[in-house]
């Protein structure tokens, strides 16, 4: 990839140098140097993404949808396979998927919105809001510790795995408790709160598993196994609201376009205040992810340790692996949604396409950042658009 970048840089420098130095009549228009660089890089990025991700689709015969957007500009989008294997309904850009634990960031934002309104403080003890935490074992757990999985809580009702605040253990029960806190302080159900958030953000095709009323229209049924022996997961999407999963922890349904809208609004400061967003993305714990390795953890969001800077979260409920990534330096979203998983091969195998796409987009992000810096320093400041 680095060789491709250097070749592109060399060619662009030659083109711009020739254009700037050519002995012609007066230029008709002055072009902003940054605009030239951005346009060239975007064209390069589109080609590279298509080459890299198309090959991953082909390698795994990936059944799902992938979208890459810079701000609101689509750099890449592709769908392959079926949303319903029985009817052979093809996935399209309006297909609605279960997104699993990608849902956690919506719960975290609902909590932070209440904090902005003075209804709670993230350092408050959970026992202030929920009776089930008013025991000696749980009484000192804070909202902050639920948000970044440092409470020591595993399954609710059991003993803590460690003293709250001293370790990391990923807890769905912790996020379901956060959903109950949202209900407590707002006087509305979790579904009402999150649907209101979707509406304000412009996410017209997102809902919860329990509120979904599409009667199967555009919904990607979840399957286990392979395309040849796909076994439908029963009671979807209603089962997402049950005790096994829980809507605040993993019960949201969404689309590629809606998650792009969410990323653009959230990281663009349109949902929570800048200082609140900083708390959301600040690394307050670390985890060793079974699939994606060592990473930082904020409030319902994970982050790379090292370059490139990225905020992301994977999700998995039976048959539906997902991954939502945001690169803040270039304002780029990468969203990967699917609706079939062969659990017999383990989680690492299920997420191989997602892992490879993230590795590719991480590398492309680093390349694009370095390339832009080189080009900005190389392209003449007063590059001109000349008459033919």
């Amino acid at each position: 990839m680095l060789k491709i970048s250097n070749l592109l840089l060399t060619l662009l420098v030659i083109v711009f140098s020739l254009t700037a130095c050519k002995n012609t009549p007066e230029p008709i228009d002055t072009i902003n140097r940054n605009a030239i660089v951005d346009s060239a890089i975007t064209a390069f990025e589109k080609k590279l993404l298509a080459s890299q991700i198309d090959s991953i689709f082909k390698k795994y015969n990936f059944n799902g949808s992938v979208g890459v957007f810079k701000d609101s500009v689509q750099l890449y989008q592709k769908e392959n396979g079926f949303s319903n294997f029985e009817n052979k309904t093809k996935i399209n850009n309006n297909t609605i998927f279960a997104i699993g634990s990608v849902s956690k960031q919506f719960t975290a934002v609902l909590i932070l919105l209440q904090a902005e309104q003075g209804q709670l403080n993230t350092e408050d003890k959970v026992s202030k809001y929920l009776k089930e935490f008013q025991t000696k074992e749980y009484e000192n757990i804070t909202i902050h510790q639920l948000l970044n999985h440092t409470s020591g809580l595993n399954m609710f009702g059991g003993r803590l795995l460690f003293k709250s605040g001293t370790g990391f253990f990923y807890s769905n029960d912790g996020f379901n408790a956060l959903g109950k806190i949202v209900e407590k302080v707002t006087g509305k159900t979790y579904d009402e709160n999150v649907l209101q958030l979707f509406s304000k953000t412009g996410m017209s095709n997102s809902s919860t598993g329990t509120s979904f009323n599409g009667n199967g229209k555009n919904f990607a049924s979840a399957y286990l196994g392979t395309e040849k022996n796909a076994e439908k997961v029963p009671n979807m999407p209603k089962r997402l609201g049950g005790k096994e999963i829980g809507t605040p922890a993993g019960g949201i349904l969404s689309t590629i376009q809606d998650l792009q809208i969410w990323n653009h609004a959230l990281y663009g400061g349109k949902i929570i205040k800048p200082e609140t967003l900083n708390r959301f993305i600040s690394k307050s714990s670390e985890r060793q992810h079974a699939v994606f390795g060592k990473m930082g953890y904020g409030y319902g969001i994970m982050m790379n340790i090292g370059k490139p800077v990225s905020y992301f979260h994977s999700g998995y409920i039976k048959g539906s692996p997902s991954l939502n990534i945001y690169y803040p330096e270039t304002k780029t979203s990468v969203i990967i949604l699917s609706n079939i998983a062969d659990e017999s091969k383990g989680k690492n195998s299920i997420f191989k396409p997602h892992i490879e796409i993230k590795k590719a987009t991480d590398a492309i992000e680093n390349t694009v950042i370095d390339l832009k810096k080189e080009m900005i320093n190389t392209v003449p400041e007063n590059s001109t658009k000349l008459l033919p």
Side-chain angles (χ1 to χ4, degrees):
M1 192 176 298
L2 185 57
K3 290 181 179 178
I4 294 174
S5 303
N6 287 338
L7 176 60
L8 178 70
L9 176 61
T10 302
L11 290 172
L12 287 170
V13 169
I14 291 171
V15 170
F16 292 139
S17 297
L18 288 174
T19 302
C21 298
K22 191 174 180 180
N23 185 20
T24 62
E26 288 296 314
I28 61 171
D29 185 28
T30 297
I31 301 174
N32 181 277
R33 178 174 59 168
N34 287 344
I36 295 175
V37 170
D38 287 341
S39 178
I41 287 177
T42 296
F44 161 68
E45 201 171 357
K46 284 182 177 180
K47 290 182 179 180
L48 194 52
L49 284 164
S51 172
Q52 296 276 319
I53 303 178
D54 280 355
S55 68
I56 296 170
F57 263 95
K58 184 177 180 181
K59 179 179 179 180
Y60 295 101
N61 189 27
F62 181 66
N63 193 96
S65 184
V66 178
V68 183
F69 306 85
K70 182 175 288 186
D71 277 336
S72 298
V73 177
Q74 180 181 302
L75 299 180
Y76 177 92
Q77 185 154 357
K78 184 172 182 174
E79 298 85 29
N80 180 62
F82 303 107
S83 60
N84 186 297
F85 282 88
E86 294 88 354
N87 301 332
K88 300 299 180 185
T89 305
K90 290 187 177 181
I91 292 170
N92 59 49
N93 60 4
N94 293 315
T95 299
I96 298 167
F97 294 84
I99 62 172
S101 287
V102 175
S103 307
K104 287 182 170 66
Q105 59 199 268
F106 300 110
T107 301
V109 167
L110 288 174
I111 286 285
L112 291 172
L113 284 169
Q114 293 307 309
E116 285 185 348
Q117 295 171 28
Q119 298 299 310
L120 57 81
N121 189 301
T122 56
E123 295 305 322
D124 287 344
K125 292 181 180 179
V126 180
S127 56
K128 177 179 177 181
Y129 304 94
L130 303 179
K131 288 183 178 180
E132 53 266 47
F133 279 76
Q134 295 171 359
T135 66
K136 187 176 181 180
E137 187 77 7
Y138 294 162
E139 64 183 357
N140 292 318
I141 293 174
T142 64
I143 292 173
H144 166 82
Q145 291 164 353
L146 293 184
L147 285 165
N148 67 2
H149 299 286
T150 60
S151 68
L153 184 68
N154 181 10
M155 300 295 289
F156 188 80
R159 293 190 62 81
L160 295 182
L161 298 175
F162 48 79
K163 183 181 177 181
S164 297
T166 64
F168 182 99
F169 188 85
Y170 191 80
S171 174
N172 283 328
D173 278 6
F175 263 78
N176 287 325
L178 290 169
K180 290 181 180 180
I181 294 173
V182 170
E183 293 180 330
K184 180 75 172 180
V185 299
T186 64
K188 297 186 294 186
T189 67
Y190 181 87
D191 278 19
E192 288 172 325
N193 277 283
V194 80
L195 291 174
Q196 184 179 32
L197 177 61
F198 293 154
S199 178
K200 286 184 176 180
T201 309
M203 299 167 67
S204 58
N205 292 305
S206 296
S207 64
T208 66
T210 49
S211 68
F212 182 67
N213 58 5
N215 297 318
K217 184 181 178 182
N218 291 331
F219 178 65
S221 299
Y223 297 86
L224 298 177
T226 65
E227 183 179 344
K228 292 181 179 179
N229 64 351
E231 178 186 345
K232 194 172 185 178
V233 177
N235 197 29
M236 282 289 289
K238 298 297 183 185
R239 69 181 292 267
L240 300 175
K243 291 183 179 180
E244 184 182 354
I245 300 167
T247 302
I252 301 298
L253 309 179
S254 196
T255 65
I256 291 283
Q257 272 68 31
D258 271 13
L259 288 174
Q260 180 273 320
I261 290 169
W262 168 256
N263 288 348
H264 184 64
L266 175 64
Y267 297 104
K270 297 176 182 178
I271 299 176
I272 50 180
K273 297 175 182 177
E275 59 269 27
T276 308
L277 178 63
N278 188 56
R279 292 173 64 198
F280 174 80
I281 60 176
S282 292
K283 187 183 79 168
S284 53
S285 59
E286 286 188 1
R287 71 176 297 190
Q288 184 65 38
H289 195 282
V291 175
F292 293 96
K294 189 177 181 180
M295 63 189 61
Y297 206 97
Y299 283 175
I301 201 74
M302 303 187 282
M303 58 210 64
N304 281 351
I305 293 178
K307 293 183 178 180
V309 177
S310 76
Y311 309 118
F312 62 98
H313 212 293
S314 57
Y316 185 75
I317 53 99
K318 282 188 178 296
S320 298
S322 60
L323 182 63
N324 181 24
I325 310 168
Y326 184 78
Y327 298 102
E329 191 158 348
T330 60
K331 300 179 181 179
T332 299
S333 294
V334 180
I335 302 152
I336 311 164
L337 304 177
S338 183
N339 65 318
I340 187 167
D342 188 353
E343 290 189 341
S344 67
K345 295 183 178 179
K347 284 277 184 75
N348 278 298
S349 179
I350 289 170
F351 276 95
K352 274 185 178 179
H354 307 69
I355 295 167
E356 290 195 24
I357 291 172
K358 184 177 184 297
K359 284 181 179 178
T361 56
D362 276 1
I364 291 171
E365 176 76 359
N366 282 330
T367 299
V368 164
I369 291 169
D370 291 343
L371 182 58
K372 184 170 183 177
K373 289 176 183 176
E374 289 184 60
M375 289 177 66
I376 288 292
N377 292 329
T378 305
V379 177
E381 188 170 357
N382 295 315
S383 297
T384 56
K385 182 178 180 180
L386 302 170
L387 287 167

